[in-house]
Amino acid sequence: MKSEPDCYSIDDLERDGQTLWDGVRNYQVRNMFRDDFTVGDKVLFYHSNAKKETGIVGVAEVVSDEAYVDPTQFDEASEHPDPKSDPANPRWLAVDVAFVQKFSNIMTLEAMKTDKSLQKLKILQKGNRLSVTPVSLTDFDLLVKKGMK
DNA sequence: GCCAACGTTGGC
DNA sequence: GCCAACGTTGGC
C-alpha cells in the first residue's frame, strides 16, 4: 500500500498504532478492499513521492473484519469529498490497518529495480499507478527478509 | 516543474 | 460505444 510520507508515513502509523486507510478514490482499489481484504492480511508499507527515499519502509496488518464505508467521501472538509457519492449507496470504502514493524533497511525503489528476484512486483511494472497492489507470498517474504537485515 | 501513463468525464 | 479533453499519479 502506497502513501506519501508527507501525508501519512510509517512513523505516523507507528505512533498511532493503527489507522483508517481512507481517501481511496479508485474503483480497482475499492474492489480489492471489498473482495480481497481480510483481517490478518499483511501489508507492505510503501513511501511514494518521498523527499528522502522512495520504497518499502515496513509492514502493517489489516485489522478490520471487512472494508467499510469511507466517511471522508461525505465530509466537505476532508481531502477528497465526493459529492457524487450517494449516502444510500456509498461509492468508497476504507479498511483499518495496524503497525507491525519498521524495516531496519529500507527497500528502495532503486534496489528493487536492480534485484533480479523481484521483477514480478507490480510496483515495478510500467504504468502502474494503483495505490494498492497484490504481492505474492514469495516476494513478500523476500522483501521482509531483505528489509529486516 | 516536467512528463508519461493512466483514469474519468461528458458530448455525440 | 467512441474519443477528446482534462485530472491525477508518481518518478525524476
Side-chain angles (χ1 to χ4, degrees):
Chain A
M1 296 174 85
K2 295 180 190 171
S3 180
E4 300 194 16
D6 284 349
C7 178
Y8 197 84
S9 73
I10 186 87
D11 294 319
D12 294 324
L13 184 61
E14 184 173 22
R15 183 199 61 217
D16 296 343
Q18 80 175 61
T19 194
L20 169 64
W21 201 278
D22 59 14
V24 167
R25 298 292 182 264
N26 174 284
Y27 288 104
Q28 282 177 262
V29 175
R30 182 206 61 187
N31 294 348
M32 278 191 263
F33 279 179
R34 186 189 59 199
D35 303 332
D36 302 332
F37 272 54
T38 41
V39 64
D41 282 351
K42 294 292 192 297
V43 171
L44 292 165
F45 198 113
Y46 179 90
H47 280 175
S48 64
N49 265 323
K51 288 197 183 73
K52 288 183 181 174
E53 280 179 307
T54 290
I56 298 170
V57 291
V59 180
E61 184 180 7
V62 177
V63 289
S64 49
D65 268 339
E66 52 190 30
Y68 55 94
V69 175
D70 181 347
T72 67
Q73 67 196 301
F74 303 120
D75 181 1
E76 282 300 319
S78 80
E79 301 266 321
H80 308 283
D82 184 353
K84 290 181 184 168
S85 184
D86 176 4
N89 186 22
R91 279 189 185 184
W92 306 115
L93 301 173
V95 294
D96 285 323
V97 162
F99 177 80
V100 174
Q101 64 185 3
K102 204 171 146 179
F103 280 177
S104 48
N105 181 35
I106 293 177
M107 281 301 300
T108 63
L109 182 60
E110 188 71 32
M112 290 189 281
K113 276 182 181 167
T114 55
D115 190 325
K116 280 185 187 141
S117 58
L118 292 172
Q119 293 310 302
K120 285 182 184 164
L121 279 174
K122 299 257 187 204
I123 200 113
L124 299 181
Q125 275 146 41
K126 198 176 180 183
N128 161 62
R129 296 191 319 161
L130 290 182
S131 59
V132 177
T133 51
V135 178
S136 75
L137 192 56
T138 310
D139 286 346
F140 186 92
D141 289 343
L142 195 57
L143 285 163
V144 172
K145 200 170 151 192
K146 287 170 184 284
M148 293 310 289
K149 241 179 197 171

